[in-house]
Amino acid sequence: MKNLSIDSLHIGYKRKTVATNLNAMANSGELTCLIGANGTGKSTLLKTIAGFIPPLGGSIKIGDSECHGLNRKVMARTIGVVLSPGNQSLYGNLSVYDTVATGRMPYTGLWHTLGDEDKRAIDDALKATGAEKLKDRFIDELSDGERQRVMTAKVLTQETPVIIMDEPTAFLDYPGRLALMRLSRELAHKKEKVVIISTHDIELAMRMADRIWMIDSHSQIRCGAPQEMENDEELINFISEKE
């Protein structure tokens, strides 16, 4: 079991600092939901943790190991990422099976030939996400909810200790959002993974998450179990502004 921690983390871009001195912990075996107003840096934080953009300072660790500076192959075995439905167009001409199979690329060598272990990982991921019956269809034929199941299966084949989902429930109806949250919670609990999801659905986050990360009006992360956060003044104000 390895937890993910950020310590004195500064995030942003070369010409713009988004937030500084961020500190938080996401535990293995728990679903962590990241919430906060638009523009507070949720996506920037997740992209920094995932290694898409470098931190401006501070550290990101899984267990005792620093993540920043890992090569791409090692990073792909460490952190899996599921993007929102609007960012998945590049898989449109692939079948579901072939899309999920791309998650094995960090393990399959130069020619990406699938061995028996890889095929087992793909079949297990399709089964775990309820996407078995979709495997012969193409990504651009799927509904948003079906596509999110497939992208979650792809990340599962990477066998990473950490899974990050950036607004995965965007564009989904309520049953779809609920199903994806339930699946994510189940993956965290049963497979002992760190699962971090950013979402605008505060009610669902408070209901389904084991831990909340909230980026507040001062660009700091407030952390706690949902029941600990219920009376947090910043959260109450944020919910009031959304209503």
Side-chain angles (χ1 to χ4, degrees):
M1 294 176 61
K2 294 183 177 180
N3 300 330
L4 181 144
S5 62
I6 59 175
D7 297 291
S8 301
L9 184 66
H10 298 4
I11 61 172
Y13 305 88
K14 288 183 178 180
R15 297 185 179 181
K16 181 183 179 182
T17 299
V18 174
T20 61
N21 199 35
L22 300 177
N23 299 278
M25 175 82 76
N27 297 322
S28 175
E30 291 185 353
L31 172 61
T32 297
C33 284
L34 172 63
I35 61 176
N38 289 333
T40 54
K42 296 190 300 298
S43 288
T44 304
L45 173 59
L46 293 187
K47 288 176 183 176
T48 304
I49 294 173
F52 294 166
I53 57 177
L56 302 180
S59 70
I60 304 165
K61 291 183 178 180
I62 298 176
D64 296 323
S65 301
E66 176 65 50
C67 293
H68 178 53
L70 294 177
N71 66 49
R72 292 179 66 181
K73 188 171 185 178
V74 174
M75 198 66 170
R77 293 183 179 187
T78 305
I79 300 178
V81 182
V82 178
L83 301 174
S84 64
N87 293 310
Q88 295 165 0
S89 57
L90 77 115
Y91 296 100
N93 62 346
L94 292 179
S95 71
V96 165
Y97 188 90
D98 288 342
T99 298
V100 175
T102 64
R104 295 302 297 172
M105 290 176 68
Y107 304 94
T108 51
L110 182 62
W111 305 110
H112 302 305
T113 302
L114 297 174
D116 290 341
E117 184 179 345
D118 302 306
K119 292 175 182 177
R120 278 195 297 271
I122 294 166
D123 290 341
D124 288 347
L126 288 167
K127 183 177 180 179
T129 56
E132 290 172 292
K133 295 180 180 179
L134 304 173
K135 66 180 182 179
D136 295 323
R137 294 174 63 186
F138 288 90
I139 291 296
D140 56 8
E141 298 173 347
L142 304 180
S143 69
D144 286 335
E146 290 171 332
R147 192 177 301 141
Q148 288 302 78
R149 285 186 171 272
V150 172
M151 293 305 170
T152 303
K154 170 187 170 293
V155 164
L156 279 184
T157 67
Q158 289 179 236
E159 298 181 335
T160 59
V162 177
I163 295 176
I164 289 174
M165 301 187 182
D166 189 9
E167 293 289 349
T169 58
F171 312 120
L172 301 184
D173 57 15
Y174 183 79
R177 296 199 302 274
L178 181 60
L180 187 62
M181 281 290 202
R182 282 176 172 165
L183 172 60
S184 302
R185 183 181 169 97
E186 185 175 309
L187 292 176
H189 290 185
K190 289 189 175 181
K191 296 186 177 291
E192 291 293 324
K193 294 181 182 292
V194 173
V195 180
I196 305 173
I197 293 180
S198 66
T199 180
H200 286 289
D201 195 328
I202 310 303
E203 180 184 353
L204 198 54
M206 295 295 287
R207 184 172 147 201
M208 300 296 294
D210 299 294
R211 178 171 293 268
I212 298 291
W213 285 6
M214 177 186 175
I215 302 183
D216 65 20
S217 58
H218 304 290
S219 296
Q220 294 298 298
I221 300 179
R222 306 167 82 88
C223 304
Q227 58 269 29
E228 296 170 341
M229 297 287 289
E230 284 179 343
N231 297 317
D232 185 283
E233 185 175 342
E234 282 272 351
L235 179 59
I236 293 171
N237 290 339
F238 175 50
I239 294 173
S240 297
E241 289 171 1
K242 287 177 63 71
E243 292 176 345

